[in-house]
Amino acid sequence: LVISHINPDGDTLGSICAMSEVIRNNFKKECELLCVSKIPKTYEFLPNISKIKTLESFDKSREFDLVITVDVAAPDRMGDAKILFDKAKTTINIDHHKTNPGFAEVNYVEWDAPATGEIIYNMLLEMGVSITREIAKNLYAAISTDTGSFAYSNVRPATMRIVANLLETGIDHAEISRLLYDTHELETIRYKGKLMESIQRYIGGKLCVVLVKKKELLEYGVSERDANDVVNIPRAVKGCEIAVSIREAEDKIKLSFRSNGKYTVSDIAEHFGGGGAESPYCSFHASYRIRPDGSIQPLPKRKNTGCCCVKSSEARDFVSQQWSGKASCCDGDEATSSLDAFLQQTVENTFTVSG
């Protein structure tokens, strides 16, 4: 059994689909794929994507000989699939997130890799597996999505060499890119146009925020999943250093942070109980819970050693100076509290039970 993370992206989906091809054809073993979340339509073109099942398709008392998690940064990122993971005779964890604690019996975690798809490629190379066009298509999509179509700073020379080898198989990279990045429903395009008009700027434009309200998604006929990448909208504003999207979901308010490279925002999200890949350009997530009575539960905090706010000096200084006016927050909770208050107030002022 191969498990993706919840709210899947191209890296986790492309990687598990590639592994499915290898396990079935090269090792002649039965292989099942599992994702507890709905698969975004964007990835419907990937080979083997139709083989991915939901948790409802599985007997939860079943014990697998081997369960592999792919691009799963922590056990809770499996969602309810963890039930099957915990019952497995052997477990393997393949990932590239720096925050991965190594939760399986065998852990293959490469922090420097820009995408899990790159790790999978190197593993196949070491095993002498021939890279078919189907495998190449999946791995190209995996690496492309986690590197921003090779535009992020996490791309390394080895990444481009791997991509060149994938292109040698004859895949149509232009078509893959078109399907990943340039194919959208008309309603989604119109909605994102509205979001562009509503970008809020703070700190002289260094912080740009966009708000996604549930009632507006319904108005435009857009799903919450279609709004997953909206943090890229404020990030594109000239002068923006850190972009934040605040999205209203069914039972929570989701925060996504993304940096334009000057500041590493992983520690900010981690402080709020979130996480992501260790690159300044990657997204990091956390969320507020909505209580049954409609009130908003504050973000859970993770206690960090050293600086009470964040470990990264650049991000720490940005937060401390811009939100609290202090040069450092290591002497108290002022900067952290100020950032907490900023986000809490924004959420409470924007979202209600009725949306």
Side-chain angles (χ1 to χ4, degrees):
L1 175 65
V2 184
I3 301 175
S4 78
H5 62 67
I6 57 175
N7 301 319
D9 58 12
D11 191 18
T12 192
L13 293 175
S15 294
I16 70 170
C17 287
M19 290 194 68
S20 170
E21 184 82 11
V22 172
I23 293 171
R24 287 193 175 98
N25 296 335
N26 292 78
F27 297 98
K28 309 301 180 185
K29 299 289 185 180
E30 179 183 352
C31 175
E32 297 187 66
L33 305 179
L34 172 60
C35 179
V36 299
S37 304
K38 185 177 179 181
I39 307 299
K41 292 181 180 179
T42 301
Y43 306 111
E44 288 179 348
F45 71 93
L46 293 176
N48 296 317
I49 196 76
S50 62
K51 293 182 171 66
I52 299 177
K53 298 179 181 179
T54 61
L55 191 60
E56 289 71 25
S57 306
F58 287 86
D59 176 1
K60 299 179 183 58
S61 65
R62 185 176 174 183
E63 293 184 11
F64 285 86
D65 292 327
L66 174 63
V67 172
I68 305 172
T69 62
V70 178
D71 200 40
V72 178
D76 61 348
R77 293 288 291 161
M78 287 181 256
D80 291 337
K82 188 175 181 295
I83 297 170
L84 297 172
F85 179 87
D86 291 340
K87 291 177 180 290
K89 295 178 181 178
T90 305
T91 57
I92 299 176
N93 160 33
I94 305 172
D95 187 35
H96 71 121
H97 295 91
K98 190 173 183 178
T99 55
N100 192 303
F103 52 84
E105 293 176 50
V106 179
N107 298 283
Y108 194 153
V109 181
E110 186 180 340
W111 294 348
D112 292 337
T116 299
E118 185 171 314
I119 299 174
I120 299 296
Y121 175 87
N122 288 326
M123 291 176 63
L124 299 184
L125 215 60
E126 290 180 16
M127 292 188 292
V129 173
S130 177
I131 305 297
T132 65
R133 188 173 298 183
E134 288 73 22
I135 294 172
K137 190 173 185 178
N138 278 310
L139 293 183
Y140 182 94
I143 299 170
S144 176
T145 51
D146 254 26
T147 60
S149 192
F150 313 105
Y152 296 163
S153 63
N154 59 355
V155 174
R156 52 189 181 177
T159 306
M160 304 310 289
R161 285 191 285 269
I162 288 171
V163 169
N165 292 336
L166 296 177
L167 294 180
E168 292 285 354
T169 66
I171 60 172
D172 187 344
H173 67 93
E175 176 67 3
I176 296 173
S177 295
R178 185 186 70 80
L179 292 171
L180 286 174
Y181 308 112
D182 298 326
T183 304
H184 309 281
E185 298 291 341
L186 179 59
E187 293 78 10
T188 302
I189 293 174
R190 286 175 171 163
Y191 176 65
K192 289 185 176 180
K194 180 193 181 304
L195 288 181
M196 290 178 188
E197 296 177 352
S198 62
I199 294 171
Q200 299 180 20
R201 303 173 73 208
Y202 302 90
I203 317 171
K206 291 182 179 180
L207 173 73
C208 293
V209 180
V210 69
L211 306 171
V212 177
K213 301 179 183 180
K214 192 162 53 178
K215 66 180 181 181
E216 293 174 349
L217 292 175
L218 292 172
E219 177 186 343
Y220 280 81
V222 175
S223 69
E224 194 268 332
R225 187 175 302 278
D226 292 328
N228 271 345
D229 64 346
V230 296
V231 71
N232 287 320
I233 293 175
R235 190 176 72 88
V237 175
K238 184 177 181 180
C240 176
E241 295 293 352
I242 292 179
V244 181
S245 70
I246 305 177
R247 295 181 288 124
E248 185 179 22
E250 286 302 317
D251 62 343
K252 66 182 73 173
I253 305 296
K254 296 182 179 180
L255 303 179
S256 291
F257 304 85
R258 181 164 287 212
S259 168
N260 268 328
K262 187 174 182 180
Y263 306 103
T264 300
V265 294
S266 57
D267 294 326
I268 298 176
E270 187 179 353
H271 164 73
F272 291 121
E278 186 62 24
S279 166
Y281 290 90
C282 291
S283 289
F284 301 89
H285 313 282
S287 59
Y288 287 85
R289 288 283 176 183
I290 301 178
R291 298 187 180 100
D293 65 358
S295 62
I296 296 171
Q297 177 181 336
L299 288 161
K301 309 297 189 299
R302 290 184 180 175
K303 294 186 181 296
N304 293 326
T305 58
C307 173
C308 67
C309 179
V310 289
K311 297 185 290 294
S312 162
S313 60
E314 294 87 354
R316 181 199 68 203
D317 291 344
F318 178 84
V319 172
S320 63
Q321 291 173 16
Q322 305 302 340
W323 269 280
S324 72
K326 294 173 65 66
S328 173
C329 59
C330 293
D331 297 327
D333 291 339
E334 289 88 350
T336 299
S337 299
S338 185
L339 177 58
D340 294 353
F342 169 80
L343 293 173
Q344 182 81 17
Q345 183 179 6
T346 301
V347 168
E348 291 180 347
N349 289 348
T350 305
F351 302 104
T352 63
V353 183
S354 61

